Structures are given as C-alpha cells and as structure tokens.
Amino acid sequence: MSVSLQDVVVRRRGKTVLGPITLELPNAGFTMVIGPNGAGKTTLLKVLHGVERISSGSVSWSVPSQTAREGQAYVFQSPIMLRRSVRANLAYPLQLLGLNKADISARVTKWAARIGLSAALHFPAPRLSGGEQQKLALARALIRRPNTLFLDEPCANLDGSSIREIEEILREAVHAGTQIIMTTHHLGQARRLADHVVFLNNGQIEEQASAAPFFDAPSSVGASAFLNGDIVE
Amino acid sequence: MSVSLQDVVVRRRGKTVLGPITLELPNAGFTMVIGPNGAGKTTLLKVLHGVERISSGSVSWSVPSQTAREGQAYVFQSPIMLRRSVRANLAYPLQLLGLNKADISARVTKWAARIGLSAALHFPAPRLSGGEQQKLALARALIRRPNTLFLDEPCANLDGSSIREIEEILREAVHAGTQIIMTTHHLGQARRLADHVVFLNNGQIEEQASAAPFFDAPSSVGASAFLNGDIVE
Amino acid sequence: TLRLAVTTSFNNSGLSDVLLPAIHQDLGLEVRLLVVGTGQAIRLGQAGDVDAILVHSKVAEEAFVAAGYGVHRREIMYNDFIIVGPSADPARVGAAETVIDAFQRIAVNQSTFISRGDDSGTHKKELSLWSAAQQDPATFVFWYKSVGAGMGASLNSASAMDGYIMADRASWLNFGNKGNLKLLFAGDSKLFNQYAYLPVSPDRYAHVKARAAQVLENWLVSPRAKQIINSYKIGGEALFVFNARP
Amino acid sequence: MSEIWAGIAEAFRLIWSLDEDLIDITVRSLKVSLTALVIASMLALPFGTWLAIRRFRYRRFAISVLNALMGLPPVVVGLIVYLLLSRSGPFGVLGLLFTPTAMIIAQVIIISPLIASITHQAMRELWSEYHDLLISLNTSKRQRVGALIRDGRRTLLTAALAGFGRAIGEVGAIMIVGGNIDQVTRVLTTAIALETGKGDFALALGLGFILITLSLFVNLTIHALSRTESEGRW
Amino acid sequence: MSEIWAGIAEAFRLIWSLDEDLIDITVRSLKVSLTALVIASMLALPFGTWLAIRRFRYRRFAISVLNALMGLPPVVVGLIVYLLLSRSGPFGVLGLLFTPTAMIIAQVIIISPLIASITHQAMRELWSEYHDLLISLNTSKRQRVGALIRDGRRTLLTAALAGFGRAIGEVGAIMIVGGNIDQVTRVLTTAIALETGKGDFALALGLGFILITLSLFVNLTIHALSRTESEGRW
Ligand SMILES: Nc1ncnc2c1ncn2[C@@H]1O[C@H](COP(=O)(O)OP(=O)(O)OP(=O)(O)O)[C@@H](O)[C@H]1O
Ligand SMILES: Nc1ncnc2c1ncn2[C@@H]1O[C@H](COP(=O)(O)OP(=O)(O)OP(=O)(O)O)[C@@H](O)[C@H]1O
Ligand SMILES: [Mg+2]
Ligand SMILES: [Mg+2]
C-alpha cells in the first residue's frame, strides 16, 4: 500500500513538532526515517500509522483507511508490554483476529522460539529485561503477518547477535511482501537495510532519496552534516 | 570507592537471574559490563547500587554503605521521568541535597544547555522524545556530581552526534575523578571508553579483564563468541 | 441555652415549632431540641448530655426518676393514639366499639399491621393493647410487620403497604404522605397518651442547667403555655390537651 | 466509655451464642450487599473504564457529574426508589417495595457512582500506558475496555471493596425502601439503628463490631482469592 | 412519581426564594464536610501513600483492615463518638457533643479509611514507576511520600472527592453526635431525614436536589481549579 501526506502539520503546546510535510512513500521494501534526536521521527511514524492526531493536512493510503490500518503493525520506541505473560502478549493480536486456539498456539510457539523466549512463555512480560521486551514487541507485531510494519528504534537495546537475527527476520518479511517503515540511530543498520531514506530534521523533511545515492552523496547540507557528524566506526 | 561482591546470588521466581558472583571492581575509570540480552547486566548494576535485593552473598563498599550510596547516581535502562517539567527533573536531586535556590538554578541552566534542552525547560519531561529523555536522565544523574555513576545503556536511543557529546561529558567526569560503571550493547562505544571489562553471560561472569587485552584476545570462549557474533562494521 | 431531648412523635407534631419561639420570646431562653427515640432520649438524660427530657412512656420515666437521674416527673399535656388504616377497611376497624375490639378484628382478619417495634412509648402502648386483647404478637405471622423505626418512617411504611397502624394523633395530622390511609378509630380512653417533662438531676451532673430547666418547667405549666398548646391546631383539629397541675 | 467495652463483650456473646436471629440478619446483610456489589460492578467497572478511554466534548463535565453522584445522599436515593416502587408509583405493580430486592436496587444506585469513579481514575493510568498499543492493534472500544479491565483487575479491587464497604455500612436508603421489617428486611445496619433508637447502645455496638468483623472477613477473603499483594505490580 | 416532579419544583422554589434557613443549613453542610475533608485528607493522603511504599510483614493484613474500615457503619461511628464525647465519657469535659465539631470528628473517622484506601491504590502504580529512581536518589521515607503526593496529585483528587461525597451525603453519624438541632447542627442530610419522617417528600427531595447540585458545584470547582483533564497524563 502506498501512502501520501499532504501538508501535514502536528502542533503540540503551541510548538510545531512536525511539518508541514508533503511526502509520497514507496509501497514496498525498507523505508528508513533517520534524523537527530527530537527531529520528529516518532511523530512521523505515528502520524502514518494514524495513532497521532494531526493538526492540519491529510494522510491518505491507497486503500480505505480502515483496511490500511488492519494490515499494519507498530513497534513503539519504548516497548509497551501488556501486563500478562509472554505467551498472552504474543497471543493477544491473534485473538483479536479471531484465530482458533490451535493456530494461535502454533504461531506463538514458533515466534517465542525465534526470539529465544521459549523458556519464558509463562513469565510476566513487564519483568523481562530491556532487550527481551524489545524482541517480544517485535514478535508481537510480526505474528499477525502485517503488510505494513512500523518500527521505531527496534534494536536500541539489543545485543549484536540479536540485531543480526532480527535483521534477518525483517529481510524475510520484506521478501514475503511486507513493507517496513522504520527509524534507527544505527547508521550501519540503516545502510544495510534501507531501500529508501527519509531524512528528518527539526520536524521537516530535508531529503528523501533512494538509499544508495543518499549514503554516497547526500544532496542536502543537513543530511551530509548528520552523516559526517556520526561516529563512523 | 572500590567494591567487592562475595558469592552474590539473585534469584527471582525460582530462577537464578544472577550469580553466584564474586568480583572486585577497580575504583576508578570506566568499567564496562557487556553481555548478551538477558545476561543479567541490569541486575548486576542494580545490585552494586543497592536497589536490587540479593538472595544471598554480600556486597561491600570500601566506605560505609550509607556514604557509598550518597555519592552514587544511576541512569536506568528505560529512563524514569518525574512527572514534572524538565527543569524540575534536573532540580530535584539538588533539592534533596539541600542546595540553595541560586546554586540549583545555575546548575540546572548549565546542564540543560549541555544536553540541548534549554528551550524545553518548562516542558513536561514524560513528553520528551526517547532520546531527549535519555539525555535528561543522564544530566539528572551528573548534576549531583556523583563519585560513582552507573549507566545502563545510556546511549541506546541517541543519535550519532549526541553519543559523541555524551561520551565527551563522560570522559570529562572520569577525568574529574568519577568512577563509571556502565553497560552497553554498542561494542564500538565499549572499545572507545572501557578501561576495564566485565563479560556477563547467563548470569555468570565469564571474563573480567582490562580493556585492551580483552578486546584483542578474549580468553573465554563465550566472550570471543560474543565479540565475533557482533556485527562489526 | 438548654438541651431538651424529645421523641420523634412530639417533634413530628409540629408543636415545637410554635412553642420554641414563644419560649424564646418570653424567657429569652434558647431551647435546643434533640429529636430521638424514647429509649435514646432517656439514655441522653442518664448520661447528662441533655438538661431535660420530654417523653411519653410512664414506666420508663418513673424508673428514670427512681434511679436518681431525674429530679421529678411533671405531666404537661396529653394527646391520644389513633388507629389508622386503609380506607377500604377490610378488618372493619371503623365499626369497632373499643380499641380492644379493633385490635381483635385486625388479628382475626390477619390484616397487614405495622408495628413500630422500637420499644418507644408508642410501641409499648401498642403491646399493652395487644395483651389486653389477649393476643401475643410473638405468635403473629406474615401480616404483622415490626418495622423498627420512628413514627414517621412507620407511617410511611403503612402508607406504602396499605396497612393498619397505631399512631399518635399529632404525628398523623402532621404527616404528609397519607396516601390511601384514613383515621379509622379513636376516642377510647385506653388510648390516652401522657407527655411528661423530666429535668435531669443536678445532684448527679453538676453541669446541667438546673435553673434554666426549672424556668422552662414553670413556663410549660403556665397559663401562657396552656393557651398555646390547646390552641395548636392542624386542619381545624386540636392536637394536644394541656393537663399540667400548677 | 464502659459502654464500648460492654459493646465488645456483647459482640462476643452474640457470636458465641450463635443467635438464630443474628445469623439470619447477618446472612441477609451479606446477601443484599454482595448482590448489590456484583450488579453495581457489572455496570460501573465497564462504564468507568469506558469513560477513561473516551474523549468527548463534555467529558470533564461528565466526570464531575459522576463524582458528584458519589455524594448522593442515601436518604434521597431511598426516597426516590421508594416513590418509584410504591403502589402508586410507576413500578408499583411489581410489588418490590419492602423486599430485599428493593434494598439491592437502592444500594446499586448508591455504590455505582463510587465504583465507576474509582475505576475511572485507576484506568486512566493504565490507559495512558496501553493507549498506543491498543489503538495500533485496531481494537474496538469494547475490546479496549475488556483488555483494561482484565489487566487492571487488581487495581479495580479497591473500587469494588470501596463499593462493598459503602453498601454494607449503609442504612438511610435501605431503611426507607426495605422498611426494616423483622425477619424480612432487617439487616445489621438497620438493626443497629433500631437498637440505638431504643437506647440499647451495648447491643448496637455489639452488632456494629460484628459488622466490621464481617467486613474484614470479606476483605481478607477477596484479597486472598485475588492475591493482590503477591508480587508487586502486575 | 409526581412526587419527584414536586421535589424538583420544590428545589427550584427553595433556591429561588433564597430562604434564610436554607442558606444557613447549606453553608453549615459545606463547612462541616469541607473541614472534615481537609482534616481527613491531611491524615489519609500521607498514610495511604506511606502504605504504598512500605513493605512490612503484616502489610496485606493492614490493607485488608483499611479496606474493611471503609465499611464502618456510620451509625456505629456515631455511637462511639457519642460515647466518647458524652458528659459521662472520657472527653465529656470538652463539651463538644451536639456541636459541629463533633460532626466533623465523626465524619473524619468515616471518610479517612476511604480516602486512604483509594490513595494507597492510586499510589502503588506511581510508586512502581518511581521506585527505582527515588531509592537510587537516597530519599528518606518522608521525601518519597512527598514526591508521590506531589506528582500524583491529580489522581488523588478522586480519593478526596470520594471522601467529600461520602461526607456530604452522610446522615447516620452526624445525626447521633450532632443531634440535628435547629440552627446549630442541622445540615442538609439531617433536614432531609427529618422531612422524610414527616412524610413531606417534596420538601425532602427538594433539599436532596439542592444537596446534589451543591456537590456538583464543588466538584466542578475543584476540577476547574486543578484542571485535571487539561492535558492527559502528567
Ligand atoms: N505532546 C507534545 N507536546 C509538545 N512537544 C512534543 C510533544 N510530544 C513530542 N514533542 C516534541 O516534539 C519533538 C519530536 O518528538 P519525536 O518523539 O517525534 O522525536 P524523535 O525524532 O522520535 O526523537 P528520538 O530520536 O529522540 O526518539 C521533540 O522535541 C519532543 O520534545
Ligand atoms: N523479577 C524477575 N523474576 C524473574 N526473572 C527476572 C526478573 N527480573 C529479570 N528477570 C530475568 O533475569 C534476566 C536478566 O535480566 P537483566 O535485566 O539483568 O538482563 P540484561 O543483561 O540487562 O538484559 P538487556 O541487555 O536485555 O537489558 C532476564 O532473563 C530477565 O528475564
Ligand atoms: Mg523517537
Ligand atoms: Mg538491561
């Protein structure tokens, strides 16, 4: 599904947090939203997903908005854990879809194994370690097989090998046709994954381009400063 | 202040989360606690700080525990924001120390500027962006000039240039005599900063060494697997 | 100021609303009324929390004086009890000759009867009438409802249940929720209801305002009080008859 | 003062003698209050939760009204229920006046606003935590209320227990609609009011202590069943 | 039914005529209940918060007792306060019986457990959020309670309003300790009870509606002052 924003502005407490933004996103592959802290990345993702109220402008999906929402999943920057067991957290989106018990159970088992939490199925999710929570949130988003997936810093608290595993899972999902729109501060990760890049700064889109040209030679001043400012290892 | 752990074990819900650990930490510089997700890093830091109850064993600081606690500060993995303004968040630890208003005001202004939140002084802290919250938590810890500072993934949500700024601030603090004990998943950061490394896996210390030898040639199997498993950019 | 504990039936009559201003006017005395159940009124007196009580339960009053809580018992006025019931009068109480007869009719017909059931003066009177009619309320079944409440609340219950009830005339006349109820029987000398005034003994409680209580007592038995009490009417009917001996 | 000791002694005596009337009254108190609690909870828990998740124009006003309703004087509720259920009232034909059912109705009206208000407050917090997730998962209003009640059940306990407390100790309304009829609608509180009126303070206090014991017992049982305190949050 | 309309009409008539007695009674109701609220809040808010942060052995039991105390029957509280303040009781010399002060004392006892219990529940949540930070900052128990009350003040509003509601609508206890003396201790609820006893339902209802209006007014004012709903959480 492709999406376009028309003059979208988000104002909060008299301050313009985002916009005005006019944007057309491709309908497949990895779109990376990057930019410094407080640039408005989280706000942009939430606007696209429809959980953040916009002050003016319009967001339109190529399909009716209800259908669009049904196919989307979102992983929030700080994971939101239901106060239930790991198992119940994974099962919840499937229960909402009305799947039968056997199906749910099978998918839950599979995903718990993929994120290495098989042994913790009956453990209260809010007590997991930071990284474990992040992985669980990701699995809970993927378990419903979304066609559009929003990820807000999904790997911030993950160790190296978990990051590799997760990236593998995400690539698979994209191959299977899922569109992923994500933010990351990990420029290495952005380079590895991105098909398309949106560079946000101060609530404005400063540059939007395909990944290869962007990383090789950003055309905006802000973006090249950002890329150079980063500590490249 | 140096600290030593003697056969410390933390058990929760019948599971051994940490230990048994016997450990002596140097009393200056950067100590990096690294290890995979769920290894017990957060638990170890909290035990050292004394906010996590231990099931058996003992923790002893070279000074009386009350004095030790007074000189410590902690930045939690997911930032805990007081439901107050940015200003009030920064001022709170100073108020607890009983500083006078002018002093507090001066320090608050200085630190707000250092983390780039001068314009947001009267903004409610819980509404800040993920990265801004992390920076605020860090400033709130440093503002009391602790002699020991615990940092749990302090840069997880920060952009590249913020990381560089924060690392600079931390280096300064160490120069000024603060001892820093931190966890990070960012191996590059660990390499840049660490004087001493503790490698945790499955709740156990698998290796403990000075930074240079550790990164060059880890002696334990686990640590070398961890270092290789990481995606080195 | 003087604290006087009175029963609900006295207060519900509305007489206090004309007496208190007159007392204030004549004596400059502010009387504070505590409206409670008979038993509670006596307890307030026993504890020395009021300066005098005005109740209608002779046996209890005499015990109060005998135990030294009260100085003496001064009869002030009386009114009478009446039997109120549904206007259809299924037990034909209206045709009864005496109150005993009326009670027997109710029992025989097993018509709904509401009893105060709160050990108040009214309740004790009702029990004495049942025993005079050779009936034992303990053996009564579903039709006899002991509601354990003050006069007003019991009348409300009777009104809602369309039942018979024995009430004092003053409460009845002043009652605003008559519904289907009607006065069916009155006038038997057995239904006489004497109110008495009992000052609390200053020997027992030094703090009670004995002088004020005495002043009030003198006023209550005066011709002025007689005139006010006897001329207090609701709907053209007199409620109380002054009978204090000077 | 000695009366208070006498009251305690009386309470023991009553419990010890296992007086049949007492058991009858106690059981009736429990039945009425627990039934009212269950009904009120079924109405107020979802309603309070719904109020926490809905944003509408007169929301602030609606919440103020709800809070104001916590102050509904029991006597007035009793009176209104009485008028509605009385023979000449609209529901007179049902013949509910002076029955335990009438008492339950009055208590439901009295405790529902209290339960709903506490629920609303408790749920706002949880909702601000769950908000983004539940909206993102495309849940219906109904499902949101369901998820909040399920996961906030421990905090809802206080709401329910406050409601129960108010119900079991209430006397003004049930006196009017129940009539305090011996063997039919007499409960602990109305019996206490009656004994107080009679001046038998020791007995009144004795019944009062029994009521408090009962209330404590119910609280301990519910706590034990729900293991509220077992392991901190969640 | 028509009685209810008559009641509403009566309420308007009373308000319209600005009856002096009515104003007197209303002001007294407000004074007594608000004073009781302030005193009870000063006791119960810190206590409930303290209970949320303390872990001790009989914690679970203590909380159950607190919850059970929410069910304290007002009549019993009234009786006990009466016995204590009575001339023959231990505090008889103070001469507080049948004064507004006595009514305030009784109401404080009745509403404190309710406020403390709701506070405790509201504060547990905030404490689980602040726990690590406040412990890490080496705060004293006192400072912790202070920080929680300060930052949780919006959620404590429900606790206070529930207490106010219970106080303003209460009649059983203040009837016994206040005595419902005209011009001295008569408040709206006792006046309502009095009129109900006289069978004057229209007047009783009228006073009831005034009481509810008053309660609504207080709630709206407090909400407005604290701007609870202004901007979601924080
Ligand atoms: N409710 C609000 N009112 C006012 N300003 C807000 C509000 N919410 C967020 N902001 C501000 O808007 C800006 C953008 O926030 P956003 O969370 O989108 O940033 P971000 O790009 O995701 O940052 P990070 O990389 O730190 O997560 C921030 O400066 C933040 O403080
Ligand atoms: N209260 C608890 N009861 C049982 N297990 C717990 C509890 N708290 C944490 N754990 C488990 O202990 C392990 C170690 O947790 P900890 O938070 O210390 O990990 P960590 O090394 O900080 O991980 P991360 O890198 O993901 O932050 C995790 O597997 C976690 O699920
Ligand atoms: Mg963000
Ligand atoms: Mg951790």
Side-chain angles (χ1 to χ4, degrees), chain A residues 22-72:
Chain A
T22 300
L23 173 73
E24 183 106 19
L25 283 187
N27 63 357
F30 274 103
T31 303
M32 283 290 167
V33 178
I34 61 174
N37 289 128
K41 304 180 293 299
T42 299
T43 312
L44 176 62
L45 256 65
K46 285 187 175 175
V47 164
L48 288 168
H49 186 42
V51 299
E52 182 92 41
R53 194 168 32 85
I54 58 181
S55 310
S56 65
S58 68
V59 180
S60 45
W61 289 88
S62 56
V63 293
S65 73
Q66 185 56 26
T67 324
R69 278 293 295 285
E70 275 165 16
Q72 299 177 1

Side-chain angles (χ1 to χ4, degrees), chain E residues 63-157:
Chain E
I63 291 163
S64 286
V65 171
L66 185 66
N67 285 331
L69 290 179
M70 290 195 290
L72 270 182
V75 184
V76 173
V77 174
L79 257 182
I80 293 177
V81 174
Y82 165 80
L83 291 172
L84 294 174
L85 296 185
S86 153
R87 279 295 171 164
S88 39
F91 303 106
V93 283
L94 302 178
L96 291 176
L97 198 61
F98 306 136
T99 65
T101 310
M103 298 159 81
I104 292 171
I105 294 173
Q107 292 204 335
V108 167
I109 297 175
I110 291 173
I111 68 178
S112 290
L114 180 66
I115 299 180
S117 185
I118 304 180
T119 300
H120 165 249
Q121 179 248 263
M123 285 298 154
R124 275 178 60 183
E125 191 88 353
L126 188 58
W127 174 237
S128 81
E129 190 179 318
Y130 276 16
H131 178 274
D132 284 353
L133 179 63
L134 292 187
I135 292 196
S136 157
L137 286 173
N138 236 332
T139 44
S140 65
K141 289 257 151 54
R142 211 195 172 76
Q143 289 168 328
R144 286 174 203 171
V145 170
L148 290 175
I149 291 184
R150 185 188 179 292
D151 294 355
R153 57 193 182 282
R154 293 277 160 80
T155 59
L156 293 183
L157 209 66

Side-chain angles (χ1 to χ4, degrees), chain D residues 8 51 90 118 179 216:
Chain D
I8 294 173
L51 213 53
I118 304 180
L216 183 59

